[in-house]
Amino acid sequence: MDDHKRTTMKLTPQRLAILEYLENNGDHPSASDIYSAVSERFPTMSFATVYNTLRTLKMQDAVRELAIDPDKKRFDPNTGPHHHLICIRCRRIVDIHSEFSVGLTEGEKCGFEITGNHVDFYGLCPVCKNSGEKAPHEGP
């Protein structure tokens, strides 16, 4: 990463709590989810602290911001290559660590040099599937 993008972050107890919450968190939480969880330990912490910490972590490539949920941005501490299963009802996100080969013709590449891909699969999670309700429109 370019040095001009690197931002150092003073590790306050609140920021350490945010980092601990994110560590190995596969729930892909939103900033408000993180705030709700961490503010129990630090009731005087502001939402801005969470937001600014996430912004810095994103700039350091320590978290990925996901635009999967149209209602809120979600954050993924797993920055390695992986894909997602997304429930179209409850918006649960599950990581998939399989590789998928997506072959593009030279014409489809439009001159791009392909360096990676990300695949999102949409459907109903087991809980929503068994609820008996009709599935909403599929996709993002």
Side-chain angles (χ1 to χ4, degrees):
M1 174 188 272
D2 296 335
D3 287 337
H4 73 277
K5 281 187 155 184
R6 290 233 179 252
T7 304
T8 57
M9 179 171 59
K10 183 179 175 187
L11 290 178
T12 64
Q14 294 87 347
R15 289 183 180 143
L16 284 171
I18 293 167
L19 290 168
E20 288 171 9
Y21 180 79
L22 285 170
E23 187 175 12
N24 300 316
N25 187 324
D27 291 338
H28 306 83
S30 68
S32 60
D33 295 333
I34 297 165
Y35 174 75
S36 294
V38 177
S39 66
E40 291 177 13
R41 281 180 51 199
F42 298 96
T44 59
M45 182 180 63
S46 70
F47 182 78
T49 298
V50 173
Y51 181 80
N52 291 333
T53 300
L54 289 169
R55 186 180 65 199
T56 300
L57 291 171
K58 185 177 132 187
M59 290 172 60
Q60 295 175 341
D61 291 330
V63 297
R64 286 191 182 172
E65 185 178 281
L66 305 177
I68 291 171
D69 190 333
D71 298 324
K72 58 187 169 185
K73 292 178 184 173
R74 309 272 291 265
F75 295 88
D76 191 347
N78 180 355
T79 59
H82 67 283
H83 309 282
H84 294 112
L85 290 167
I86 303 149
C87 181
I88 58 177
R89 182 172 294 138
C90 71
R91 305 314 263 174
R92 178 178 173 215
I93 303 169
V94 176
D95 289 340
I96 304 172
H97 295 282
S98 298
E99 291 187 28
F100 300 98
S101 176
V102 180
L104 298 176
T105 66
E106 287 303 316
E108 291 171 325
K109 289 181 185 179
C110 300
F112 276 65
E113 178 184 337
I114 305 300
T115 60
N117 67 29
H118 178 91
V119 179
D120 292 331
F121 294 93
Y122 294 89
L124 292 172
C125 70
V127 172
C128 291
K129 183 174 123 182
N130 293 326
S131 73
E133 293 180 37
K134 185 179 176 192
H137 171 27
E138 295 183 22

